[in-house]
Amino acid sequence: MTDSIHITLQPKAAEAKWGKKASLTPTDSGFQIHLDNAFPARSIQKAARQLDGLGVEEVTLSGDGWDLERQWAFYLGFTSAKKMAGVQWQGEAATQLSQLAHCFSWARQITNQTPEQLSPEALANATVAFLTPLAPDAISHRLITGDALLAEGWVGIHGVGRGSERPPVMLVLDYNPTGKADAPVDAVLVGKGITFDSGGYSIKPSESMSYMKCDMGGAATVAAALGLAVMKGLSRRVQLVLCCAENLISGHAYKLGDILTYKNGTSVEILNTDAEGRLVLADGLLYASETGAPLIIDAATLTGAAMVALGNDYNALFALDTALQQRALGYATEVQEPTWPLPLAPWHQGQCPSPYADTANSRPVKGGGTGGASNAAGFLSRFVPEGGKGWLHFDLAAAFNSSNGPLWAAGATGMGIRAIAETLRQEAGKG
């Protein structure tokens, strides 16, 4: 990278000739970024987006002030769906930054793949191929595919995915660095892996469906979070459960009015086939509950309501275990991934009533009605043990952008990976 452009940090404002709000000005060897001292990381990320817009392919971060978080902010702004590299790291943080880039680039690239490229089985296999080399002696896995899901009682994943010619899959990946087959499972990560979401018979409009390749972003996020934790020396046994399916329309697809009865006896009437994420996650949460793990974390691009509430800058965090929720918010703050708590109480379980089943999967109004993100979290809370103790639900409002913006290129962001990885590292084993 000897010919790469050098980028330096400048705490002073740009000279007047460049305009009052200039954040990026040329130097003899490249460019300097004029920091907004109130929001330095954001100003760096915005300037990096400008450099990407200029077509710059390779840069070297030079001079003073480039701590880990500032270098990482630059990387997030500089990279895009077509370019996941090109930044020469500086200083002692280089190893940590390389680990982050490895995990984020995998998650972003797989989320940006086309629906044709990424079937449910392809997502599961790609996850195994990503994680196994990180700890080949400690990782094993199992795929439960197609009608085998029904045989084992995983009715949610099967029901949502049965309308596609490409079968649904549950991936169970076991990271067990103890080497003991009877070692307790300290944590389970559960991810929504809807590789394409047409909405089913509650079909989405084209403008919403056009970027629904991102609906497996939860699966990519928890897989990358596990990878990052492993690279940082995670010594606890953790299992990863990905709930993978295509939500398509056919003569075999599930329909409004159908009732699914889960392994814990909960019956669910389908009032919206586009509220499918919670149906597949319910299976993953039930599996996690069966392990006896004291920590369960799920992540999903679950509701538009979370995006309405928080925009694309924050992920939403739900929990009934408020002490754990507060600690997780602290970990997210430490790694500078904006995360915000939204309301969840036990009574949210009753917000989607059904005259035919224990609950419906949604309310029969557009978008699920008011409080949709909390109602979805309430639905999920039916499938976790001990009244939600030890359970966290991330609704990934900040995981994907449908178009270029001032902070992010179009596509997957990876937001949530660091927060979940840090929560896993800090909390696994506490129970």
Side-chain angles (χ1 to χ4, degrees):
M1 281 194 166
T2 55
D3 296 329
S4 68
I5 293 172
H6 287 253
I7 309 299
T8 57
L9 297 177
Q10 173 56 258
K12 297 180 181 179
E15 295 180 29
K17 66 180 181 180
W18 299 109
K20 294 181 179 180
K21 297 183 179 180
S23 60
L24 190 68
T25 59
T27 64
D28 292 341
S29 58
F31 291 91
Q32 58 185 345
I33 297 173
H34 299 273
L35 295 176
D36 177 344
N37 292 315
F39 304 102
R42 285 179 67 88
S43 62
I44 290 170
Q45 191 167 339
K46 287 181 178 180
R49 286 292 307 124
Q50 294 178 46
L51 286 167
D52 177 55
L54 293 174
V56 175
E57 293 291 330
E58 293 186 354
V59 300
T60 298
L61 306 180
S62 303
D64 297 330
W66 286 110
D67 61 18
L68 183 148
E69 295 301 341
R70 289 180 175 186
Q71 291 187 69
W72 187 241
F74 184 93
Y75 172 86
L76 294 178
F78 185 68
T79 51
S80 67
K82 296 180 180 179
K83 179 186 66 185
M84 287 291 172
V87 180
Q88 180 67 47
W89 308 117
Q90 185 195 86
E92 297 179 357
T95 298
Q96 293 183 64
L97 289 162
S98 295
Q99 292 173 343
L100 284 170
H102 179 71
C103 295
F104 269 69
S105 62
W106 177 83
R108 293 170 72 184
Q109 286 172 334
I110 200 166
T111 304
N112 290 336
Q113 282 190 9
T114 71
E116 183 60 27
Q117 291 172 316
L118 197 69
S119 67
E121 287 182 290
L123 172 58
N125 289 328
T127 301
V128 173
F130 164 66
L131 288 171
T132 301
L134 301 180
D137 296 330
I139 289 179
S140 59
H141 74 276
R142 179 174 176 239
L143 298 181
I144 310 165
T145 305
D147 288 343
L149 290 161
L150 273 186
E152 297 194 24
W154 307 121
V155 298
I157 301 171
H158 183 272
V160 170
R162 76 188 193 205
S164 172
E165 294 181 358
R166 304 197 288 188
V169 178
M170 176 188 275
L171 167 66
V172 178
L173 184 142
D174 188 4
Y175 170 69
N176 186 4
T178 71
K180 300 175 181 178
D182 60 349
V185 178
D186 288 300
V188 180
L189 302 178
V190 181
K192 173 186 172 183
I194 301 298
T195 55
F196 185 70
D197 183 18
S198 71
Y201 280 104
S202 304
I203 191 167
K204 293 178 181 288
S206 293
E207 60 269 21
S208 299
M209 201 191 303
S210 63
Y211 55 87
M212 278 298 105
K213 62 185 179 183
C214 79
D215 217 17
M216 40 60 64
T221 297
V222 290
L226 177 57
L228 182 58
V230 169
M231 294 178 80
K232 289 179 173 290
L234 180 68
S235 61
R236 297 290 182 170
R237 186 178 186 182
V238 176
Q239 293 193 349
L240 173 75
V241 181
L242 301 190
C243 309
C244 309
E246 287 182 319
N247 186 21
L248 298 182
I249 298 170
S250 76
H252 300 289
Y254 77 131
K255 299 169 287 294
L256 284 80
D258 283 349
I259 292 178
L260 302 178
T261 301
Y262 283 82
K263 291 183 75 172
N264 67 347
T266 300
S267 57
V268 179
E269 182 187 8
I270 307 304
L271 291 183
N272 184 348
T273 60
D274 196 22
E276 85 298 330
R278 65 201 70 180
L279 297 175
V280 303
L281 284 175
D283 279 339
L285 293 172
L286 284 172
Y287 175 90
S289 301
E290 290 179 357
T291 69
L295 177 65
I296 299 173
I297 303 173
D298 78 71
T301 50
L302 199 64
T303 67
M307 297 175 67
V308 171
L310 301 178
N312 292 113
D313 294 316
Y314 285 77
N315 286 326
L317 179 60
F318 295 87
L320 292 168
D321 187 337
T322 54
L324 174 61
Q325 182 184 49
Q326 287 303 308
R327 295 197 299 273
L329 290 169
Y331 304 140
T333 299
E334 287 177 19
V335 297
Q336 298 191 25
E337 283 196 337
T339 309
W340 199 259
L342 288 182
L344 177 60
W347 55 261
H348 279 106
Q349 288 188 1
Q351 289 297 94
C352 299
S354 165
Y356 307 106
D358 295 325
T359 184
N361 72 325
S362 183
R363 295 168 66 189
V365 292
K366 184 177 181 181
T370 57
S374 294
N375 296 342
F379 177 91
L380 295 178
S381 72
R382 291 174 174 269
F383 302 93
V384 295
E386 298 187 57
K389 182 180 179 182
W391 168 59
L392 295 169
H393 163 53
F394 285 81
D395 196 332
L396 300 173
F400 191 89
N401 291 291
S402 57
S403 60
N404 290 320
L407 285 172
W408 301 95
T413 66
M415 291 294 290
I417 293 172
R418 295 182 73 189
I420 293 172
E422 191 62 22
T423 302
L424 182 63
R425 283 181 0 100
Q426 297 282 355
E427 293 292 327
K430 277 190 176 181

